[in-house]
């Protein structure tokens, strides 16, 4: 029975080390090609006409002028007369032309008559338009708990809508060769696209759809499907005789319709004893996410209360639908819950660190992890030395404060298949129909294969990004690293063992006595009895050895689910301007056995930066009268820049208790808490809660004003 | 789709539709714009377009020739005509830095420069930085310090970092922030990027 | 972008002859950092772009009559880095140094900065300069006006003028020179800006075939100048409020002051109320604060932008304190 177990720490050569990403040189040199970069022979450029109205019926559509234009090869109606449009930016028609300027001109030549209908784009009022019936849940006896509590704390916490803002917009290139469709697409699910396209197009089987993608410029949860525009690209290519057609979304379309993170607002009441013991939670929450409503934040977050009463209303609005945004619903849940807990701690006049530690058992299974992580974080940010009770008393307009938050995530590895081939000349190839969003998938595959086979990293050729390769799951839910490392591990172990079987007789040993170390196959304990890797592989004879490693969805020997993680923030607030500055954020994160420590740290830095960005600058602003997104650009939809992040400290938890849990995903957990920690640090600094994120100067000043005019004097 | 053989009408009264159809390579007769000038229109200046016109760009020390309409940006010409796809189109509105190239020694947003006006200028793109055998010091340092994730913003940052270090070989953290302030990263790679700049400043070329 | 012709002028006369008498039929291409975006968004649809960057006489900074003559093609970076500007007009150098990011500063010009169009997101989404729906109703007043004007906002224009150089230059009493079909004319920059009353108006007095050719800044001997900008991000973020001040002090008291705010009104907003509040006083936290309060006396919240009133106050106060701390020229 093969032993796939991850090697113990002393035996690991690559696993857990800081390894530079293998595709780094391609990316820094500009050689890396993304879907947006690809030019296929004879390629046409496509553009899409989008609805200028948030709610309208199409009365008529006249594409004749566009069709007559020189250089226009195909025009296709996507939603024609009679169709009802539910959000501004929705697709109406597409054109394919010899170049982009011609395609743009053709779009402008299409005449559409709309019958405007009343629209609803407000998402901050729960009474406006319910997408589905309210969801309610009661546990224990919250009414009694509130009556008997020593302290009750109330607050309002909210997070506005934001977008994914992938730098590479959504899009694809489709071309037909007879009944075969070739698709280059910007996606986070290389193996899943063909099935979805086949279902939508209906006249081509999935097995005739070849999907390729070497690199992708961001996904963050928004690129799991071909989307309607991807389907239409394939269809308009067919109309143009099968010629390749490329349609990449423009930035304004990307911001408006290619996904967003639902808003979430909550009125929260907490009950506690004088000593800080939590008793009950009550929340009324609501949020939006397009016509179907958005997701529901898991409240209360991380802490399991003995008594709770909660309600959630999903608001329907005429805005492009929300999509999974990195750790769906958790950032909102953390903001609401950790904010409410922090307010309660302040009311109790307790240090939130002590308050959280006191109630840590309520976090369940990971309580001890959280304790360990909180103490580590406290050490790194010097919490005890720097913390003061709510409201910085320092002189001058700039106030400084600390905040903390906990989070959790699942992250068990997804289904994955890996083909590992050892050639008789010693070269090794790993093939997998997976994708690398920047998480370092390629490098992880090489690390696991090289570690298992006892080889240097550059001995492994990694091939991904093609659905001709063995299927592997989409990069979502932080399931990639667990899935791909497990399937690769199994493939590598089986390949290694098969090689051992061939080599053992030559070394006069039994296969189970052999080990693959330092580029050799040798008898364990007697290193003199060895062959070099090349010599060993030559024993394969004329045929390469290919082994498929499979990771099934429920296999848990190599991967696991459930991580913790804590963060602490140190911010300064200029109370005359409402401007928040990040001084320092500390992240202490666990994710089981780490495959690549360098890239894991990068993942956390990146998540902190994305968190600072959504905490301070990002929001989708939709005009209530026209239903249009007012900031579908990167000028007023603002991302944090390099000078906005302060000092970031990342500490990964490793060693006993962590490594032995197996590989768990990391993509999402560290992006959950930044909003919460910044919110709490601001409250600690200025003495009042700024309820709604992003914490822009207007909101900070308003909170100060309501507190009692500490900004009344300039 | 039948190819439309209709020719464009020129001269006074030309409609916008026909105007847009003009796609010949020869010099168009310029539109006669209404003027209150006392003097007649100056015949000295050459007017190009609106159809395609030949241009020559000097990119990474190579002369590149193509024909584009005046409305084509330098970014589009680099990417579509010459397949120099390092510079990326992300915001297309001079607000994110992914299209950064160096023009006559200064970093610019190529999305906001017309290809036709970039003629006669020395242009350096990310593709012009490495030698066949070695990455540029900035590139190597970004690899060493993992100043990248998805990589889409990376070429813009490479060019911006190189320009920053060319101007300020030993920048303070504040100068680094300032020098990189015109470039945005969604994945959040600033920590590695700043470390990369500092590594080059210290004179490092170590491999990792 | 819609198709257009392109021509490059070698002289300012040639530029004039290439431009059109109908506003909007042709546009001047200088740095292009905003013009191209406006065309991409179909806000402008010129038939011809006239590149003026080859016109040599429009470049350069040089001393002139005790002051400075800044060619309209001078880039923002050239202004910020110029030792002439930094020594004689620190407020102007500070204003230039804070604009956008390095790439923009390399490309954008003084002339383009002074003549730039508003950022108003109703304007930029195709609702015209005044941000109105097809019935003439103001979408700004009825909608999200968080970035709109707090001063000079009786309507129908509610956008803020986005130039960061204009307040600094107006504080320095700068004049501009305009060249057109009728030849040259000079006027104080303070008189260059107008508040549009209809969607077909523009935000300054430049006529269809005119080109802004240079800025002349008078000598500023004994002047303490400074610009203070309030913006949320560390860099590359539009200011929420800005104040540029030029103070003449004598025996520790303010003899004269010019205080101009930016990004708070449809035009750069000179506040004589703030100036009068300061004249005759020494500069300290109290007097600077009082000047800030005087500066926003007439300010009005449109519904979402009350915070800009506070920020304008702070910008004025801090600009005054910054100027007073500096050494006089």
């Amino acid at each position: 029975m093969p032993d796939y177990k991850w090697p113990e720490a002393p035996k690991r050569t690559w696993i857990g080390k800081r390894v530079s990403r293998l595709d780094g040189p391609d990316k820094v040199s500009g050689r890396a090609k993304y879907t947006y970069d690809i030019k296929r022979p004879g390629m046409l450029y496509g553009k899409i006409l989008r609805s200028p109205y948030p709610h309208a019926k199409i009365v008529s559509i006249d594409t004749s002028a566009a069709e007559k234009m020189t250089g226009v090869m195909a025009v296709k109606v996507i939603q024609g007369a009679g169709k009802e449009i539910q959000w501004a930016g929705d697709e109406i028609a597409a054109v394919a032309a010899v170049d982009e300027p011609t395609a743009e001109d053709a779009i402008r030549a299409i005449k559409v008559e709309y019958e405007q209908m009343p629209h609803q784009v407000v998402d901050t009022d729960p009474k406006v338009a319910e997408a589905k019936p309210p969801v309610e849940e009661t546990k224990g006896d919250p009414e009694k708990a509130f009556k008997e509590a020593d302290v009750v704390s109330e607050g309002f916490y909210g997070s506005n809508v934001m977008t994914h803002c992938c730098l590479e917009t959504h899009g694809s290139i489709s071309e037909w060769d007879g009944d075969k469709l070739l698709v280059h697409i910007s996606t986070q699910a290389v193996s899943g696209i063909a099935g979805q396209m086949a279902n939508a197009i209906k006249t081509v089987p999935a097995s005739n759809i070849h999907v390729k993608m070497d690199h992708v410029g961001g996904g963050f949860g928004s690129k799991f499907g071909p989307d309607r525009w991807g389907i239409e690209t394939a269809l308009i290519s067919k109309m143009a005789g099968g010629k390749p057609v490329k349609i990449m979304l423009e930035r304004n379309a990307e911001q408006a319709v290619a996904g967003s993170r639902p808003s979430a607002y909550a009125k929260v009441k907490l009950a506690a004893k004088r000593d800080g013991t939590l008793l009950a939670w009550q929340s009324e929450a609501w949020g939006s996410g397009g016509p179907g409503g958005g997701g529901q934040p898991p409240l209360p977050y991380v802490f399991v209360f003995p008594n709770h009463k909660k309600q959630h209303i999903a608001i329907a609005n005429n805005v492009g639908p929300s999509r999974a945004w990195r750790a769906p619903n958790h950032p909102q849940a953390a903001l609401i819950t950790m904010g409410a807990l922090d307010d309660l701690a302040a009311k109790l006049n307790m240090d939130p660190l002590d308050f959280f530690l006191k109630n840590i058992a309520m976090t369940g299974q990971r309580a001890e992890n959280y304790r360990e992580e909180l103490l580590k974080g406290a050490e790194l940010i010097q919490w005890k030395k720097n913390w003061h009770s709510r409201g910085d008393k320092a002189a001058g307009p700039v106030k400084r404060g600390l905040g903390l938050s906990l989070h959790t995530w699942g992250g068990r590895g997804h289904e994955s298949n890996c083909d590992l081939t050892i050639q008789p000349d010693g070269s090794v190839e790993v093939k997998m129909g997976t994708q690398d969003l920047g998480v370092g998938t390629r490098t992880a595959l090489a690390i696991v294969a090289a570690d298992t086979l006892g080889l240097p990293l550059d001995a492994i050729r990694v091939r991904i990004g093609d659905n001709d390769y063995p299927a592997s799951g989409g990069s979502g839910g932080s399931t990639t690293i667990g899935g791909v490392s497990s399937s690769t591990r199994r493939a590598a172990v089986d390949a290694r063992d098969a090689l051992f079987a061939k080599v053992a007789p030559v070394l006069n040993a039994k296969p189970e006595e052999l080990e693959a170390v330092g580029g050799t196959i040798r008898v364990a304990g007697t290193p003199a009895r060895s062959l070099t890797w090349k010599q060993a592989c030559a024993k394969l004879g004329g045929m390469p050895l290919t082994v498929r490693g499979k990771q099934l969805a429920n296999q848990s020997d190599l991967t696991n689910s459930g991580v913790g993680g804590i963060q602490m923030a140190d911010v300064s607030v200029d109370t005359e301007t409402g401007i928040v500055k990040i001084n320092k954020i500390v992240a202490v994160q666990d994710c089981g056995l780490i495959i690549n420590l360098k890239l894991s740290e990068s993942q956390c830095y990146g998540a902190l930066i994305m968190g600072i960005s959504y905490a301070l600058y990002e929001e989708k602003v939709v005009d209530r009268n026209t239903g249009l997104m007012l900031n579908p650009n990167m000028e007023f939809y603002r991302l944090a820049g390099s000078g906005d992040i302060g000092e970031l400290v990342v500490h990964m938890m490793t060693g006993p208790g962590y490594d032995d849990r197996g590989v768990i995903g990391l993509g999402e957990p560290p992006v959950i808490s930044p909003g919460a920690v910044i919110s709490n640090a601001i409250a600690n600094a200025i003495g009042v809660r700024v309820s709604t994120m992003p914490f822009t100067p207007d909101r900070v000043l308003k909170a100060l004003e309501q507190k009692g005019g500490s900004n009344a004097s300039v | 789709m039948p190819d439309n053989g209709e020719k464009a009408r020129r001269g006074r009264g030309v409609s916008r539709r026909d105007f847009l159809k003009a796609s010949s390579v020869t010099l168009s007769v310029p539109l006669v714009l209404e003027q209150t000038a006392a003097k007649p229109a100056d015949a000295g200046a050459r007017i190009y377009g609106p159809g395609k016109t030949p241009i020559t760009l000097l990119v990474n020390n190579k002369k590149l020739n193509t024909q584009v309409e005046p409305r084509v940006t330098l970014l589009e010409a680099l990417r579509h005509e010459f397949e120099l796809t390092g510079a990326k189109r992300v915001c297309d509105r001079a607000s994110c830095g992914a299209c950064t190239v160096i023009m006559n020694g200064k970093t610019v947003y190529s999305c906001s420069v017309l290809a036709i006006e970039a003629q006669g200028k020395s242009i350096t793109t990310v593709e012009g930085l490495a030698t066949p055998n070695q990455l540029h010091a900035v590139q190597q340092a970004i690899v060493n310090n993992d100043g990248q994730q998805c990589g889409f913003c990376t070429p813009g940052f490479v060019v911006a970092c190189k320009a920053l270090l060319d101007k300020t070989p030993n920048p303070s953290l504040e100068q680094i922030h300032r020098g990189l302030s015109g470039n945005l990263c969604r994945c959040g790679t600033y920590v590695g990027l700043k470390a990369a700049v500092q590594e080059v400043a210290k004179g490092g070329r170590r491999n990792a | 972008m819609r198709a257009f012709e392109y021509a490059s002028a070698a002289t300012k006369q040639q530029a004039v002859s290439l431009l059109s008498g109908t506003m909007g039929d042709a546009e001047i291409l200088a740095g292009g950092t905003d013009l191209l975006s406006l065309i991409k968004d179909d806000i402008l649809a010129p038939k011809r772009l006239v590149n003026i960057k080859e016109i040599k006489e429009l470049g350069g900074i040089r001393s002139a009559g005790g002051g400075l003559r800044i060619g309209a093609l001078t880039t923002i970076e050239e202004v910020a880095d110029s030792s002439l500007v930094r020594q004689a007009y620190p407020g102007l150098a500070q204003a230039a140094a804070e604009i956008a990011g390095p790439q923009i500063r390399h490309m954008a010009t003084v002339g383009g900065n002074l003549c730039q169009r508003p950022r108003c997101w109703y304007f930029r989404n195709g609702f015209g300069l005044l941000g109105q729906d097809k019935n003439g109703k103001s979408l700004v007043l009825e909608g999200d006006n968080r970035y709109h004007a707090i001063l000079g906002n009786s309507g129908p224009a509610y956008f803020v003028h986005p130039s960061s150089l204009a307040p600094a230059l107006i504080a320095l009493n700068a004049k501009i020179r305009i060249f057109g079909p009728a030849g040259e004319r000079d006027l104080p920059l303070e008189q260059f800006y107008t508040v549009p009353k209809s969607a077909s108006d523009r935000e300054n007095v430049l006529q269809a075939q005119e080109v802004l050719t240079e800025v002349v800044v008078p000598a500023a001997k004994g002047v303490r100048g400074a610009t203070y900008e309030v913006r949320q991000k560390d860099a590359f973020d539009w200011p929420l409020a800005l104040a540029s001040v030029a103070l003449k002090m004598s025996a520790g008291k303010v003899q004269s002051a010019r205080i101009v705010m930016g990004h708070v009104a449809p035009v750069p907003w000179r506040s004589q109320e703030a100036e009068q509040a300061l004249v005759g006083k020494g500069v300290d936290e109290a007097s600077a604060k009082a000047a800030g309060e005087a500066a926003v006396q007439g300010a009005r919240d449109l519904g979402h932008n009350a915070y800009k009133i506070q920020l304008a106050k702070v910008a004025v106060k801090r600009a005054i304190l910054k100027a007073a701390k500096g050494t006089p020229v």
Side-chain angles (χ1 to χ4, degrees), chain A residues 21 27-28 33-34 36-37 39 67-68 72-73 100 105 163-164 251 437 598 602 606 618 640 642, chain B residues 1 4 71 79-80 85 88-90 126 139 144 146 148-151 186-188 190 194 208:
Chain A
R21 65 185 70 226
K27 288 173 176 171
V28 292
K33 292 283 186 191
Y34 300 74
Y36 213 135
D37 300 329
K39 191 174 189 183
E67 287 169 34
K68 289 203 202 80
V72 174
M73 297 307 169
E100 270 197 333
D105 291 341
T163 73
H164 300 68
R251 177 55 49 187
L437 272 60
K598 184 185 252 190
S602 291
E618 296 183 46
S642 71
Chain B
M1 197 77 232
N4 195 327
R71 57 176 156 166
R79 290 174 56 80
H80 301 159
T85 56
K88 308 294 184 205
R89 191 163 70 186
V90 169
V126 69
Q139 292 169 322
N144 296 344
D146 208 31
Q148 52 190 333
Q149 286 187 34
C150 83
R186 184 31 154 186
C187 298
Y190 301 129
K194 289 193 250 188

Side-chain angles (χ1 to χ4, degrees), chain A residues 570-699:
Chain A
D570 167 1
V571 310
S572 288
V573 184
D574 182 333
T575 55
E576 286 183 0
T577 61
I579 293 173
V580 177
K581 203 169 72 90
I582 306 294
N583 297 314
K584 186 172 182 171
I585 300 188
V586 166
V588 184
Q589 186 64 55
D590 61 280
C591 61
L593 174 69
I594 293 176
I595 298 294
N596 186 336
L597 184 56
K598 184 185 252 190
L599 268 54
S600 297
E601 290 164 339
S602 291
Q603 188 71 273
C604 289
Y605 287 125
L608 291 180
I609 290 168
M610 193 174 235
I612 291 167
S613 200
Y614 74 63
L616 297 182
Y617 311 119
E618 296 183 46
E619 63 180 309
K620 178 174 183 170
V621 181
V622 179
D623 178 60
R624 70 173 58 205
N625 290 306
T626 60
L628 298 179
M629 181 177 180
L630 291 175
N631 58 341
N633 50 53
M634 290 175 69
E635 174 192 355
F636 286 113
Y637 189 88
R638 300 171 302 148
L639 302 184
S642 71
D644 294 311
I645 64 176
E647 185 194 342
L648 302 179
V649 177
V650 168
H651 180 88
M652 302 302 299
M653 300 298 282
T654 57
Y658 296 99
D659 294 2
D660 37 77
R661 294 193 65 209
V663 177
I664 316 174
L666 178 63
E668 285 157 299
V671 87
I672 295 168
S673 278
V677 293
I678 291 170
S679 178
N680 289 346
I682 293 172
N684 182 248
I686 65 176
V688 67
R689 172 77 47 188
V690 182
S691 59
T692 304
M693 194 167 72
F695 307 118
T696 48
D698 54 331
R699 296 193 178 103

